[in-house]
């Protein structure tokens, strides 16, 4: 069985065909998906999905790419995190691709999420784009101690620094792209007990669906490719990444029969 550790099922294109998307998850042995909060306004739809489906869980957070986004205060994040189906804080982090100029607001937003994660004990879901050095610096300064570097696209050095801080590394469909040679090397070197897989759907569909709309069922192709890169059976990679998910997101109950 597999887990999609990062998806956006509440986004309109996926929400409009939710029964089909959930059926394809089952067909591909994806037992659970984590639906990620990115704005204050979309959080109710994220939570509603988690409440309506036993195999969906939610996070709460504000994505770093919109300066004018309505914020959650630290106390509000902590309050929402008390919900039984909310199992992580984020997505949060830094993005220097879409955001330029004085980014003090983005750094402070990130710090608020880190403080909320420390108070709740929930893992952080971290987004970093063209901002790895500052992301790692703020993580260290603020005491970020548990979470995942989602949709990882950085080099070995950044991966090692994140691992040294106790974080997991999550690979998306990007790792299946022919052009992603450096990332494939990272996928080979990350310890097996620190790997997660995700879709980030509806974005970044893996080969052989590249260019099409992504969905949680396609996480199987990410896992198959990472297993191939590491020279190990797909079943072993699937078992390890699923176990890693339940270890990191320990608020999610493990299925009956699993240790």
């Amino acid at each position: 069985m597999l887990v999609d550790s990062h998806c956006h099922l509440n986004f309109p294109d996926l929400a409009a065909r939710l029964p089909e998307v959930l059926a394809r998850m089952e067909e591909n042995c994806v037992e659970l998906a984590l639906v990620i909060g990115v704005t204050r306004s979309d959080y109710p739809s994220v939570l509603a999905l988690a409440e309506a489906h036993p195999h969906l869980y939610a996070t709460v957070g504000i994505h770093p790419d919109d300066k004018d986004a309505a914020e959650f205060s630290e106390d509000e994040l902590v309050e929402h995190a008390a919900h039984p189906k909310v199992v992580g804080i984020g997505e949060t982090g830094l993005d220097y691709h879409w955001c330029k100029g004085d980014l003090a607001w983005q750094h402070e937003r990130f710090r608020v999420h880190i403080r909320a994660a420390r108070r709740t004990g929930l893992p952080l879901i971290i987004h970093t784009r063209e901002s790895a050095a500052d992301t790692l610096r703020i993580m260290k300064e603020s005491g970020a101690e548990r979470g995942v570097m989602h949709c990882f696209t950085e080099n070995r050095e950044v991966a090692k620094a994140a691992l040294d801080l106790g974080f997991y590394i999550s690979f998306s469909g990007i790792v299946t792209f022919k052009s992603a040679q450096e990332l494939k090397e990272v996928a080979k070197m990350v310890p097996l007990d620190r790997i997660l897989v995700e879709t980030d759907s509806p974005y970044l569909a893996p080969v052989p669906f590249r260019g099409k709309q992504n969905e949680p069922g396609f996480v199987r192709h990410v896992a198959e490719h990472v297993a191939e890169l590491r020279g190990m059976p797909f079943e072993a990679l699937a078992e390890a990444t699923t176990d890693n998910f339940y270890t990191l997101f320990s608020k999610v109950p493990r299925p009956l029969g699993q240790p």
Side-chain angles (χ1 to χ4, degrees):
M1 300 296 282
L2 288 160
V3 171
D4 182 0
S5 66
H6 192 113
C7 66
H8 301 282
L9 283 179
N10 61 309
F11 284 15
D13 289 344
L14 290 176
R17 54 187 188 90
L18 187 63
E20 170 195 341
V21 169
L22 296 180
R24 195 158 11 247
M25 278 180 61
E26 185 175 359
E27 291 167 8
N28 284 280
C29 298
V30 181
E31 68 182 25
L32 187 146
L34 186 57
V35 187
I36 306 296
V38 294
T39 68
R40 188 181 181 108
S41 61
D42 86 343
Y43 174 68
S45 66
V46 170
L47 185 59
L49 281 169
E51 290 177 329
H53 301 278
H55 61 317
L56 300 181
Y57 283 80
T59 71
V60 58
I62 308 294
H63 195 282
D65 70 352
D66 184 357
K67 181 178 181 180
D68 299 320
E71 302 284 358
F72 282 122
S73 69
E74 180 184 334
D75 286 343
E76 286 176 319
L77 288 170
V78 170
E79 180 182 353
H80 289 304
H83 191 287
K85 298 285 311 243
V86 176
V87 299
I89 302 294
E91 110 187 50
T92 184
L94 303 179
D95 191 312
Y96 292 176
H97 179 79
W98 296 113
C99 303
K100 309 294 181 184
D102 182 359
L103 297 178
W105 61 270
Q106 196 178 83
H107 295 180
E108 178 55 23
R109 180 183 293 171
F110 188 19
R111 291 187 180 100
V112 166
H113 284 72
I114 293 173
R115 292 196 298 268
R118 286 175 59 85
R119 286 174 60 185
T120 61
L122 295 184
L124 287 156
I125 297 90
I126 292 184
H127 168 110
T128 181
R129 189 170 185 188
E130 299 175 18
S131 57
D134 280 351
T135 300
L136 290 167
R137 175 179 59 81
I138 291 174
M139 288 167 65
K140 291 176 184 176
E141 291 174 353
S142 301
E145 55 191 9
R146 187 162 172 251
V148 56
M149 309 299 285
H150 115 84
C151 192
F152 192 83
T153 57
E154 303 293 338
N155 58 30
R156 291 169 63 99
E157 289 70 28
V158 174
K160 184 177 185 307
L163 290 166
D164 288 347
L165 288 172
F167 276 68
Y168 289 64
I169 305 294
S170 182
F171 296 98
S172 70
I174 293 174
V175 77
T176 71
F177 298 174
K178 187 176 181 180
S179 59
Q181 292 304 313
E182 187 174 37
L183 185 60
K184 294 178 192 293
E185 293 303 313
V186 176
K188 295 177 186 178
M189 59 80 66
V190 174
L192 183 60
D193 63 356
R194 302 286 282 282
I195 295 177
L196 297 178
V197 288
E198 65 172 88
T199 60
D200 202 12
S201 51
Y203 311 115
L204 305 174
V207 175
F209 300 103
R210 188 174 182 182
K212 299 181 180 179
Q213 187 177 92
N214 203 3
E215 59 183 71
F218 295 168
V219 77
R220 182 183 186 93
H221 297 277
V222 179
E224 287 175 342
H225 190 76
V226 173
E228 182 180 353
L229 289 171
R230 296 175 67 94
M232 63 186 296
F234 160 72
E235 293 79 8
L237 190 283
E239 181 180 357
T241 56
T242 298
D243 182 66
N244 294 343
F245 177 86
Y246 286 110
T247 299
L248 177 60
F249 293 94
S250 55
K251 190 174 173 180
V252 181
R254 287 180 182 263
L256 291 176
Q258 288 194 10

